[in-house]
Amino acid sequence: MKFFIDTANLDEIREAYNLGVLDGVTTNPSLMAKEGISGESNVRAHYKEICNIVDDKVSAEVISTDFEGMIKEGKELAKIDDKIVVKIPMIKDGVKAIKYFHSEGIRTNCTLVFSAGQAILAAKAGASYLSPFIGRLDDISYDGLQLIEQIVHIYQTYGFETEVLAASVRHSMHLIKCAEIGADVVTCPLKVITGLLKHPLTDSGLAQFLADHAKAAGK
């Protein structure tokens, strides 16, 4: 399973990368705004800074919602760095754009996916990644993890090459469950990844080891 971090914060990206487990980054206009990044040139410069930190796979989202606009914007984003994956919304013109970019050898991440039907369309069009939003589905009393399991089953049945990228991952158990049901990628805040480190028995065991060492050393 690949770990992506869902942020535009450079310090968080560096921390995740230095931990040795980071495979990529996902961003969106909301995350850019959260970091105070505005203006087309500033946003693109920020994407380049992210690419300079990680090894590959930086999802950069288009703003346009029409086919021509997405193609123009996606091409410009792809020029920033070879690591860029163009993030496209799951709408009719978005599916067309995914097909176009696939034919041009430009990787895409189909975002805002909430159903298996949408997942099938994205895979048929040639999306590199598919981002079902499990936390947002949970918010409306639908089992987001069940959708991940359904999509994984469909993709495996028909041999689709699109990777299932579980998004809107809210906590560490979301991540673990995604691993259990076969998601290819999870993208989440840094705290979800570092949350995997925590266990009370690890803390108490280490404290006991250190106490025993200190006692043996006569401290």
Side-chain angles (χ1 to χ4, degrees):
M1 170 182 271
K2 300 182 182 72
F3 282 7
F4 290 4
I5 186 172
D6 193 37
T7 185
N9 184 285
L10 298 179
D11 289 336
E12 290 182 351
I13 294 168
R14 290 189 187 96
E15 183 176 347
Y17 183 81
N18 290 335
L19 187 61
V21 299
L22 188 66
D23 299 292
V25 176
T26 57
T27 62
N28 59 47
S30 298
L31 292 172
M32 284 288 185
K34 184 179 178 181
E35 298 304 317
I37 310 298
S38 61
E40 186 175 313
S41 61
N42 290 331
V43 168
R44 292 184 181 178
H46 198 74
Y47 279 133
K48 183 62 179 178
E49 286 192 70
I50 294 173
C51 289
N52 289 339
I53 297 171
V54 302
D55 296 329
D56 196 9
K57 297 179 283 289
V58 177
S59 285
E61 188 163 348
V62 300
I63 305 300
S64 301
T65 56
D66 63 285
F67 176 77
E68 290 78 11
M70 283 187 276
I71 297 305
K72 179 181 178 181
E73 195 176 340
K75 285 182 175 180
E76 291 300 316
L77 290 170
K79 288 178 183 177
I80 295 172
D81 196 284
D82 290 341
K83 300 172 185 177
I84 292 290
V85 178
V86 180
K87 202 172 182 183
I88 303 288
M90 170 38 76
I91 55 178
K92 186 175 182 179
D93 276 8
V95 174
K96 292 179 181 179
I98 288 168
K99 182 66 174 179
Y100 173 84
F101 285 126
H102 179 67
S103 69
E104 294 292 311
I106 295 174
R107 295 175 296 176
T108 55
N109 176 359
C110 184
T111 189
L112 293 171
V113 172
F114 296 96
S115 75
Q118 292 175 328
I120 293 169
L121 289 174
K124 290 281 289 181
S128 307
Y129 300 94
L130 179 91
S131 292
F133 280 44
I134 61 176
R136 294 194 193 184
L137 283 168
D138 288 353
D139 290 344
I140 61 168
S141 301
Y142 185 91
D143 188 349
L145 289 167
Q146 184 180 13
L147 176 62
I148 298 292
E149 188 171 15
Q150 185 181 24
I151 295 170
V152 167
H153 174 71
I154 291 170
Y155 280 13
Q156 289 178 346
T157 298
Y158 291 99
F160 287 127
E161 295 182 359
T162 302
E163 294 189 47
V164 180
L165 193 166
S168 189
V169 171
R170 302 278 177 77
H171 47 73
S172 297
M173 280 310 300
H174 262 166
L175 190 157
I176 292 168
K177 287 296 183 181
C178 284
E180 286 182 351
I181 60 184
D184 300 290
V185 191
V186 290
T187 187
C188 55
L190 177 62
K191 67 180 181 180
V192 174
I193 296 174
T194 56
L196 298 175
L197 293 165
K198 300 175 183 177
H199 196 285
L201 293 179
T202 300
D203 296 338
S204 61
L206 181 59
Q208 185 63 55
F209 292 156
L210 293 175
D212 290 343
H213 173 74
K215 183 178 180 180
K219 296 181 181 179

